[in-house]
């Protein structure tokens, strides 16, 4: 690679530092560093270990000494909604409390008494989920008002990691939209909503777009690494980065498949109509002012928890194989029920659901796994039907991207359930989209259209049709 960049992609269960650049017209990736991530209990809350995450980023950067060339830039993406607050001395006032923490129980209902649900959706276009940043902030105001009174800076997780690298404070647009505090039409903080909720408008930072070069590393970090580089904003919300790697972009529904499943389409304007509100779709910001019209529904979190509840005795591949041996009788489970957000034991919660609904209770590991996969596919089918209803058109293909695209069983179930062509890949979609933003910012790629053409030539994609599977060239 003549020029390579570092993509730091951190998800709910793991993170990775990937080096990437163009080589003979194709995008080449090299994994530099991989590390785990998990929710920890701290100060009576479920939190992310933000200090540990930053240390892992530093480790990944240091491993670049194994390469002949030093990276010219770095970009960071993570999940959405979560944040930290800093005081006047730029010290942490809060832990990085995770969206699965129960502090927001009942808060969304209280907020929608202050600000009508329909009005909030009309202004922001964001899906109602009890863990959105707006409800986390409202919970903090109710439970710890003294913390908010001291707060001078609001930074989302990737914003804070960028601040540690550069000393620059900003709120990147795609992640900021997940707060439910960004106006969908002005693409900036909605002062009326923030004021009505009694929050300090001054703690929110300037909203900056993907492809913005924040600046260089802090001097002490450049000295520690032995080189400097630009810190560039990708779409710091991981789904915002992931959809940039969708090779089949025309008339295609995407499913960004990981811990969560994000299912939707790209659009050039927000859809804030009543039907979209009723179906609970969101209009999250994308690169170049596009919108990701999507629904955030349950993903592979359930099977991740099932694996953990079995003491990790079975790999994901084992669970898939055991699922294939189950013939019929799968219970109908609403995988998007709030009870599956963070139960004490996912296996027992699935079984309790089946007992409460007078259905056959899955017992064996294969039966549990099959129940998850079958009902995930059914959930996807329902969401796709809602998209087609809103757009009043039929979409003929689905592009599954991200880690979940490796699950051939689930991909085949999606094809069988929806009767649509399913394209699976690329796997490292988020890291690729992160790199795309950096390479466009650096002038290596001209625009998204060229980037997608490069992605299509660079990575293998599998094609699934009803009850058949073959490899696409």
């Amino acid at each position: 690679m003549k020029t390579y960049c570092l993509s730091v992609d951190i998800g709910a269960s793991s993170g990775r530092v990937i080096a990437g650049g163009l080589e003979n017209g194709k995008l080449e990736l090299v994994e530099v560093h991989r590390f785990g991530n998990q929710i920890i209990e701290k100060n009576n809350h479920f939190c992310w270990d933000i200090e540990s995450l930053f240390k892992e980023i530093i480790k990944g950067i240091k491993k670049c000494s194994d390469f002949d060339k030093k990276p010219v830039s770095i970009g960071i993406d993570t999940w959405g909604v979560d944040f930290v607050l800093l005081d006047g001395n730029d010290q942490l006032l809060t832990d990085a409390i995770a969206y699965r923490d129960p502090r927001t129980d009942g808060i969304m209902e209280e907020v929608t008494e202050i600000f009508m649900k329909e009005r909030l959706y009309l202004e922001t276009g964001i899906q109602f989920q009890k863990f959105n940043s707006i409800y986390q902030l409202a919970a903090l105001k109710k439970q710890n008002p003294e913390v908010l009174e001291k707060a001078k800076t609001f930074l989302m997780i990737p914003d804070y990691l960028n601040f540690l690298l550069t000393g620059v404070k900003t709120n990147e647009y795609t992640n900021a939209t997940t707060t439910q505090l960004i106006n969908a039409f002005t693409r900036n903080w909605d002062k009326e909503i923030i004021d009505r909720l009694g929050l300090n408008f001054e703690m929110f930072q300037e909203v900056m777009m993907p492809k913005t070069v924040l600046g260089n590393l802090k001097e002490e970090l450049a000295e520690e690494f032995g080189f400097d580089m630009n810190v560039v904003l990708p779409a710091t919300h991981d789904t915002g980065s992931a959809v940039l790697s969708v090779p089949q972009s025309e008339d295609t529904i995407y499913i960004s498949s990981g811990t969560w499943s994000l299912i939707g389409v790209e659009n050039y304007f927000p859809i804030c109509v009543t039907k979209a509100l009723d179906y609970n779709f969101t209009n999250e910001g994308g690169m170049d002012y596009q919108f990701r019209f999507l629904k955030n529904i349950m993903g592979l979190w359930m099977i991740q928890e099932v694996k953990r509840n079995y003491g990790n005795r079975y790999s994901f591949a084992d669970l898939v194989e055991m699922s294939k041996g189950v013939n019929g009788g799968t219970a109908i489970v609403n995988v998007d029920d709030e009870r599956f957000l963070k139960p004490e034991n996912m296996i027992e919660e699935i079984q309790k659901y089946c007992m409460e609904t007078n259905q056959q209770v899955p017992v064996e590991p294969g039966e549990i796994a099959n129940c998850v996969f079958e009902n995930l596919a059914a959930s996807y089918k329902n969401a796709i039907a809602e998209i087609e209803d809103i757009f009043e058109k039929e979409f003929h293909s689905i592009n599954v991207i991200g880690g979940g695209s490796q699950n051939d069983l689930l991909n085949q179930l999606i094809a069988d359930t929806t009767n649509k062509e399913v394209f699976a890949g690329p796997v490292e979609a988020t890291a690729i989209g992160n790199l795309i933003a950096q390479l466009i910012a650096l002038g290596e790629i001209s625009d998204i259209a060229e980037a997608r053409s490069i992605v299509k030539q660079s990575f293998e994609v599998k094609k699934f049709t009803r009850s058949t599977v073959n490899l696409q060239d």
Side-chain angles (χ1 to χ4, degrees):
M1 301 174 213
K2 293 180 181 178
T3 301
Y4 80 82
C5 312
L6 290 182
S7 168
V8 179
D9 170 32
I10 307 176
S13 59
S14 66
R16 54 212 140 266
V17 179
I18 291 179
L22 293 174
E23 187 74 39
N24 297 322
K26 292 186 177 182
L27 195 57
E28 299 285 345
L29 306 182
V30 178
E31 184 177 296
V32 177
H33 181 52
R34 184 175 286 262
F35 52 94
N37 184 30
Q38 62 181 352
I39 292 173
I40 61 173
E41 290 192 45
K42 184 179 180 182
N43 298 324
N44 298 315
H45 288 289
F46 294 123
C47 301
W48 304 106
D49 192 343
I50 194 75
E51 291 84 4
S52 174
L53 292 178
F54 186 65
K55 287 178 182 176
E56 294 293 347
I57 292 172
I58 297 301
K59 284 182 187 176
I61 296 172
K62 286 182 175 179
K63 286 185 178 181
C64 289
S65 59
D66 297 337
F67 292 82
D68 294 334
K69 289 184 66 176
K70 301 295 186 289
V72 297
S73 68
I74 185 171
I76 300 173
D77 67 75
T78 73
W79 59 95
V81 307
D82 293 339
F83 60 87
V84 296
L85 300 177
L86 307 184
D87 63 17
N89 296 315
D90 291 337
Q91 299 302 304
L92 284 172
L93 277 171
T94 62
D95 293 315
I97 298 178
Y99 58 83
R100 295 190 191 274
D101 188 83
R103 66 173 172 165
T104 56
D105 289 351
I107 298 296
M108 184 170 72
E109 291 74 16
E110 294 179 16
V111 168
T112 51
E113 287 181 9
I114 299 170
F115 212 97
M116 277 183 57
K117 198 170 185 179
E118 293 77 10
R119 177 71 185 281
L120 193 57
Y121 190 76
L122 179 64
E123 298 290 339
T124 68
I126 295 299
Q127 176 181 8
F128 286 86
Q129 297 177 115
K130 72 172 191 174
F131 48 70
N132 289 351
S133 316
I134 185 175
Y135 311 120
Q136 293 195 43
L137 285 165
L140 191 58
K141 181 175 174 59
K142 180 180 180 179
Q143 298 156 12
N144 303 97
E146 72 284 355
V147 172
L148 270 178
E149 289 172 7
K150 297 176 184 176
K152 300 298 181 185
T153 304
F154 168 93
L155 296 176
M156 304 195 77
I157 299 301
D159 298 330
Y160 180 63
L161 296 171
N162 282 329
F163 169 67
L164 295 179
L165 286 177
T166 64
V168 177
K169 301 176 191 174
T170 188
N171 294 136
E172 187 275 326
Y173 170 68
T174 66
N175 217 317
T177 61
T178 70
T179 64
Q180 211 172 2
L181 292 169
I182 292 285
N183 186 288
F185 300 93
T186 66
R187 298 181 177 91
N188 213 331
W189 297 112
D190 194 307
K191 193 171 188 302
E192 181 184 356
I193 296 174
I194 290 169
D195 287 347
R196 285 275 295 276
L197 294 174
L199 302 174
N200 175 18
F201 184 77
E202 299 303 319
M203 71 180 179
F204 297 96
Q205 306 302 298
E206 179 184 357
V207 176
M208 291 190 177
M209 297 299 296
K211 301 184 293 185
T212 299
V213 179
L214 279 188
N216 297 98
L217 297 172
K218 289 180 178 178
E219 187 176 338
E220 60 269 27
L221 288 175
E223 290 179 1
E224 182 179 350
F225 301 144
F227 60 89
D228 198 0
M229 58 181 163
N230 287 314
V231 178
V232 178
L233 292 180
T236 66
H237 187 267
D238 48 12
T239 311
S241 277
V243 298
L244 292 173
S245 71
V246 175
Q248 312 285 336
S249 61
E250 293 297 322
D251 290 325
T252 297
I253 289 173
Y254 61 77
I255 301 177
S256 181
S257 180
T259 300
W260 288 92
S261 291
L262 297 308
I263 181 167
V265 296
E266 290 181 291
N267 213 38
Y268 288 97
F269 53 87
I271 302 175
C272 302
V273 298
T274 302
K275 188 177 284 187
L277 167 61
D278 292 342
Y279 286 149
N280 206 19
F281 273 78
T282 199
N283 295 270
E284 293 176 353
M287 200 160 85
D288 291 349
Y289 293 110
Q290 293 191 56
F291 287 89
R292 289 172 286 124
F293 183 73
L294 60 84
K295 177 173 273 193
N296 190 1
I297 58 181
M298 192 63 72
L300 297 175
W301 159 254
M302 291 182 72
I303 204 68
Q304 290 167 358
E305 282 295 282
V306 166
K307 178 177 179 290
R308 185 181 68 84
N309 293 155
Y310 279 125
N312 294 313
R313 293 197 304 274
Y314 309 110
S315 67
F316 290 122
D318 292 335
L319 291 170
V320 166
E321 284 303 311
M322 287 188 283
S323 173
K324 291 178 182 177
V326 176
N327 294 314
T330 302
I332 297 172
V333 174
N334 177 13
V335 294
D336 297 309
D337 192 303
E338 195 174 288
R339 69 194 293 167
F340 299 120
L341 189 61
K342 192 166 177 43
E344 289 187 14
N345 186 295
M346 185 65 75
I347 296 171
E348 293 176 1
E349 200 65 37
I350 292 169
Q351 293 171 331
K352 281 192 289 184
Y353 183 100
C354 294
M355 284 187 279
E356 291 167 11
T357 52
N358 298 313
Q359 299 186 81
Q360 182 176 332
V361 178
V363 177
E364 298 300 322
E367 295 172 341
I368 296 289
N370 184 259
C371 184
V372 171
F373 294 138
E374 291 272 4
N375 284 288
L376 280 178
S379 178
Y380 298 161
K381 179 183 178 181
N382 291 338
I384 289 168
E386 291 169 351
I387 292 170
E388 293 181 331
D389 185 28
I390 291 169
F391 279 84
E392 297 182 347
K393 63 176 286 188
E394 183 180 356
F395 292 84
H396 298 286
S397 63
I398 301 165
N399 203 139
V400 183
I401 55 176
S405 68
Q406 299 173 95
N407 189 327
D408 287 355
L409 171 65
L410 183 56
N411 294 332
Q412 189 62 56
L413 285 171
I414 297 169
D416 291 342
T417 303
T418 64
N419 199 24
K420 298 182 188 294
E421 289 185 330
V422 173
F423 298 92
V427 175
E428 291 288 0
T430 307
I432 292 166
N434 183 321
L435 291 167
I436 285 170
Q438 294 183 63
L439 291 167
I440 292 176
L442 297 171
E444 295 280 316
I445 297 176
S446 60
D447 54 25
I448 295 175
E450 183 188 2
R452 284 194 162 129
S453 176
I454 292 170
V455 169
K456 198 167 185 177
Q457 297 173 50
S458 303
F459 302 101
E460 182 180 87
V461 173
K462 283 185 177 180
K463 180 180 175 181
F464 296 77
T465 56
R466 190 175 179 86
S467 298
T468 62
V469 57
N470 54 60
L471 191 64
Q472 179 181 283
D473 293 331

